[in-house]
Amino acid sequence: MRKRFGQHFLHDPQVIARIVAAIEPRRGDRVLEIGPGRGALTAPLFDRLGALTAIEIDRDLARHLGARFGPALELINTDVLEVDIAALRGSGEPLRVVGNLPYNISTPLLFRLLEQRTAIRDMHLMLQKEVVDRMVAPPGSKTYGRLTVMLAPWVRIERLLSVGPGAFTPPPKVSSAVVRITPLAMPAFDIGSTASFDRVVRAAFAQRRKTLRNALKGTVAAGVLEQLGIDPRARAETLAAAQYAALARAAG
Ligand code: SAM
């Protein structure tokens, strides 16, 4: 077991069956699995699809998988954060991404997948429960934050199932949950520019305890909050993503 690669292997057949049922893989789907490990999800996916692509960083695991599944499993033995998913898609159908992710890289990986969303049809990901809570949090809740708002223009998120530590070998210290992330054909709202949206959201949540007036000083001109009907004394977690979009448009 390689701790640095966040290796916790799924062994619970019921959990595996429920994840595969949620994915509903169909022959012809182009599935990309991230971190196949010992093949807990790879095997049932492979049975249904006859072929798939997987990215695994661990050389020994990659070798085992290659020997077990043969050439119909396209195995890329590298760090997923270095892979150009759009290039992997090429001119074919968008990819269906699946993964019981290494939790130590889940946030950078989510942002990277988000950047490459036009190459992706949907994603079914096992994540740390806390990350899923942040992804689906409503405004005003404790876990609502930068991640929630940054995802909102681009994707629909559905929490599918909770998974306890006992489903893995070795059991992780945290609980997990599976989500379906579906890139939207059109952004949910106009964010002006990505750079401006990123800047405004980052500034707002950099110090959650500050009022928006103080947090956005230097990012959004004085008076803009009032013009948009936003209380300058409100705090970052009370604003809906669409209001951040309006602020980003005004900030230019
Ligand atoms: N999918 C398997 C399962 O459900 O049993 C393994 C899940 S385990 C939580 C995460 C897997 O991702 C491990 O096999 C690990 O070696 C691999 N991994 C870790 N970091 C990676 C990275 N940066 N790029 C690609 N694979 C990675």
Side-chain angles (χ1 to χ4, degrees), residues 186-223:
M186 297 277 291
F189 27 74
D190 176 10
I191 59 163
S193 77
T194 311
S196 171
F197 189 65
D198 190 31
R199 208 166 44 240
V200 168
V201 177
R202 207 180 273 277
F205 285 100
Q207 286 147 306
R208 297 174 69 101
R209 297 169 65 86
K210 279 192 175 178
T211 62
L212 282 170
R213 189 203 323 268
N214 286 333
L216 294 177
K217 220 174 246 169
T219 309
V220 172

Side-chain angles (χ1 to χ4, degrees), residues 54-69:
I55 304 171
E56 173 56 63
I57 199 169
D58 186 314
R59 209 184 312 142
D60 296 331
L61 289 176
R63 210 178 41 238
H64 279 117
L65 290 162
R68 179 171 167 196
F69 293 100

